[in-house]
Amino acid sequence: MPDFFKDVREVVALIPKGRVSTYGAIARFLGASKSSRVVGWVLNKSVNVDQVPAHRVVNRYGFLSGKQHFQTVSYMEELLTKEGVIIKNDMVLNFNDLFWDPSIELRW
DNA sequence: ACACTGACCACTG
DNA sequence: CCAGTGGCCAGTG
């Protein structure tokens, strides 16, 4: 298993319940060599991995761009709603407040 | 080896 | 303030 798989999953696993992060934020945190596309791709391959809360990762506008890749198209929204995140028209409400940026939150 | 495809994003005009 | 564009990089055919 390539390292970046582990890296991405590690960061995603750190996103607190009820918060969301973005592909770009994770990519930047992992280093300039990583692209946000690759982050999305890793999550795509991680759908079946329970330990990775892929539903907490959205694009920079708070849009649920990955919902189509879950078991059902409403599953991502269900999970987030269950955690207290309100979704309206596939968008995270109050996204700015819920946004969790690893390069800020994980700064030692 | 080559071209194309993404759960993306920053920059430009 | 937009829409367009180009870079990003791993996988797939």
Side-chain angles (χ1 to χ4, degrees), chain A residues 47-48 50 67-76 79:
Chain A
V47 165
N48 298 318
D50 298 338
K67 64 176 294 186
Q68 299 290 337
H69 300 273
F70 284 78
Q71 321 170 11
T72 72
V73 289
S74 58
Y75 191 56
M76 184 177 188
L79 288 174

Side-chain angles (χ1 to χ4, degrees), chain A residues 8-9 12-13 43 46-47 49-55:
Chain A
V8 172
R9 288 172 176 172
V12 172
L43 290 179
S46 304
V47 165
V49 182
D50 298 338
Q51 285 71 23
V52 181
H55 59 280

Side-chain angles (χ1 to χ4, degrees), chain A residues 53-73:
Chain A
H55 59 280
R56 295 187 190 141
V57 183
V58 297
N59 74 4
R60 68 192 178 289
Y61 299 124
F63 182 77
L64 306 188
S65 48
K67 64 176 294 186
Q68 299 290 337
H69 300 273
F70 284 78
Q71 321 170 11
T72 72
V73 289

Side-chain angles (χ1 to χ4, degrees), chain A residues 92-103:
Chain A
V92 175
L93 288 192
N94 217 10
F95 173 65
N96 279 332
D97 291 336
L98 295 179
F99 177 49
W100 185 86
D101 187 348
S103 62

Side-chain angles (χ1 to χ4, degrees), chain A residues 25-40:
Chain A
I26 293 168
R28 279 199 307 278
F29 174 72
L30 290 178
S33 61
K34 299 289 182 294
S35 78
S36 44
R37 284 184 178 273
V38 174
V39 174

